[in-house]
Amino acid sequence: MWYYRSPTIVFGEDSLSFLNSVKSRRCLIVSDRNLEKAGIVDNIKELLPEDCRTMIFSSIDQEPTFSQMTSAMDSIMKFKPDHIVAVGGGSVIDTAKVILFRYARPDLDFYDLTPLEYLGIKEAAKLIAIPTTSGTGSECSWAAVVSDEREKRKNELASSEILPDYAILDPAVVTGLPRKQTVSTAVDAMTHAIEAYVSTWRNFYSDALAEKALELITGNIAEVLHDPGDIQARNSVHIGASMAGSSFSNSQIGLAHALGHALGAIFKVPHGTSVGLFLPAVVEFNSTVVHDRYDRLNSIFPESMRDKTLAGSLRKIFATMGQPVHISDAGISKDSYNAAKPSLEKLAMESTGLVANPRESESADIHMLLEEVMG
Ligand SMILES: [Fe+2]
């Protein structure tokens, strides 16, 4: 027995207007300072029903931490939201999921969030996710990545009860996304689709979503980078990224994420950049067991971007997008990388990304993959 889980997805131009029909009297808006400054939070407030009271929590860094959330919980408990609207990138949406959990179960600790037990989270408030980047897929996933500043690690928390109730995919909120973020988040989304497609937990639903996601992203990313205001191309990449999120959420991420999370935890490299650094090497590593599935994915790439192998096509498209292929391109010196290797290896070996990767990996394999991106 298996489940396919997804929020209700509201998509396309003007989909933000859905907020007007939300039956909320007390709404917590979770966002970040930049989006608040840019007026996006005000825009959300205006779209909510007139009689809806709002509270804003926007003190979220690029890497959300447990202590940031703890500091806000007292006032959130007093406000008693019936809805939580998360508007932002993956960090913001992940933060909102964990806030929902703490709001529903203040008696539990962060680490008590588990997929193995019913926790009654959904009864506390509805969660609406509005992604302002096209990549993390957090709006469609029941996972949240939060940094533990004491342990210097990224924690992958999960429960089907933190899956958003609604995901609103409005392309208007991503037309202003800077080029760097457009690239790193698109690379993240491609990695989700590719890893979900070869995971040992793959299924017909995750397969279909991964294939369409890769088609939409690889077929439109060049146009988005050429003309960031192209609403049709943005819409395609935005929906593709969300499909990739739904695909991995109903399958599993793999080795590139295990290595990427480790790198991100130590060097603060953006998530998409770090998983993308390892993806071509991981694809080559896994090829011995899933080459037929990689061939199928490779055939989806536009002809101009297609090489003989999926790893080759990835290197080709990454070069046109400006995605780093070696650690030095990501601003990491060889000395500091070498010094961090034992920690990187340890963190990668402990990652849940290894659980359903199609090829089992030993310490020596992780070591080899860490070497490969040295350049
Ligand atoms: Fe990711």
Side-chain angles (χ1 to χ4, degrees), residues 7-252:
T8 296
I9 295 173
V10 190
F11 62 97
E13 286 182 61
D14 200 32
S15 48
L16 272 186
S17 61
F18 167 78
L19 287 171
N20 196 247
S21 63
V22 168
K23 306 250 175 303
S24 174
R25 304 297 299 269
R26 310 174 73 80
C27 182
L28 170 68
I29 301 173
V30 179
S31 191
D32 66 36
R33 291 185 195 93
N34 289 339
L35 290 167
E36 198 179 0
K37 261 188 238 157
I40 292 187
V41 173
D42 282 341
N43 191 15
I44 299 298
K45 273 170 80 174
E46 273 166 32
L47 287 164
L48 285 164
E50 248 175 63
D51 58 351
C52 177
R53 286 182 59 196
T54 54
M55 173 184 169
I56 297 163
F57 172 62
S58 64
S59 330
I60 302 170
D61 292 333
Q62 200 186 349
E63 307 278 345
T65 61
F66 289 139
S67 59
Q68 282 164 14
M69 294 174 204
T70 304
S71 66
M73 283 319 297
D74 274 356
S75 42
I76 292 170
M77 296 304 290
K78 278 183 201 140
F79 180 66
K80 291 190 175 60
D82 52 38
H83 280 66
I84 298 176
V85 172
V87 54
S91 304
V92 165
I93 298 172
D94 285 1
T95 301
K97 289 173 180 172
V98 181
I99 284 177
L100 171 64
F101 160 61
R102 290 306 306 270
Y103 173 55
R105 296 299 306 266
D107 54 319
L108 299 180
D109 184 65
F110 288 111
Y111 289 108
D112 293 327
L113 184 58
T114 167
L116 306 173
E117 205 184 317
Y118 174 72
L119 298 169
I121 297 172
K122 283 272 174 232
E123 277 113 73
K126 289 221 181 302
L127 178 60
I128 300 174
I130 306 169
T132 57
T133 62
S134 306
T136 70
S138 180
E139 71 280 3
C140 285
S141 91
W142 42 289
V145 178
V146 183
S147 296
D148 187 325
E149 55 274 68
R150 279 172 310 171
E151 292 187 28
K152 274 205 160 194
R153 68 164 63 230
K154 288 192 173 195
N155 294 284
E156 296 148 12
L157 304 173
S159 161
S160 60
E161 295 177 63
I162 58 169
L163 176 77
D165 298 282
Y166 294 91
I168 304 178
L169 310 177
D170 193 322
V173 300
V174 287
T175 49
L177 193 65
R179 185 183 178 95
K180 246 188 171 173
Q181 266 179 289
T182 301
V183 169
S184 72
T185 49
V187 168
D188 186 25
M190 288 164 67
T191 312
H192 293 154
I194 292 167
E195 298 214 291
Y197 197 71
V198 297
S199 159
T200 56
W201 295 358
R202 64 183 182 252
N203 54 74
F204 294 142
Y205 288 95
S206 61
D207 276 359
L209 288 161
E211 287 182 11
K212 190 67 187 176
L214 203 62
E215 180 194 317
L216 287 171
I217 299 164
T218 59
N220 290 282
I221 191 66
E223 184 52 37
V224 163
L225 294 175
H226 172 70
D227 177 8
D230 184 326
I231 200 86
Q232 291 309 324
R234 281 280 189 190
N235 191 42
S236 297
V237 172
H238 204 42
I239 290 174
S242 203
M243 282 180 164
S246 200
S247 179
F248 89 78
S249 192
N250 287 283
S251 173
Q252 178 62 303

Side-chain angles (χ1 to χ4, degrees), residues 281-292 294 358-360:
V282 166
V283 164
E284 278 164 348
F285 173 75
N286 286 340
S287 282
T288 53
V289 289
V290 284
H291 61 87
D292 51 338
Y294 282 154
R359 184 174 163 189
E360 269 189 50

Side-chain angles (χ1 to χ4, degrees), residues 265-310:
I266 293 179
F267 291 105
K268 310 287 174 218
V269 180
H271 172 71
T273 309
S274 56
V275 296
L277 262 172
F278 295 103
L279 185 64
V282 166
V283 164
E284 278 164 348
F285 173 75
N286 286 340
S287 282
T288 53
V289 289
V290 284
H291 61 87
D292 51 338
R293 292 188 74 80
Y294 282 154
D295 286 347
R296 164 81 191 113
L297 290 184
N298 193 33
S299 71
I300 292 170
F301 273 65
E303 231 170 286
S304 59
M305 306 276 184
R306 202 182 310 145
D307 199 71
K308 286 194 199 78
T309 64
L310 179 61

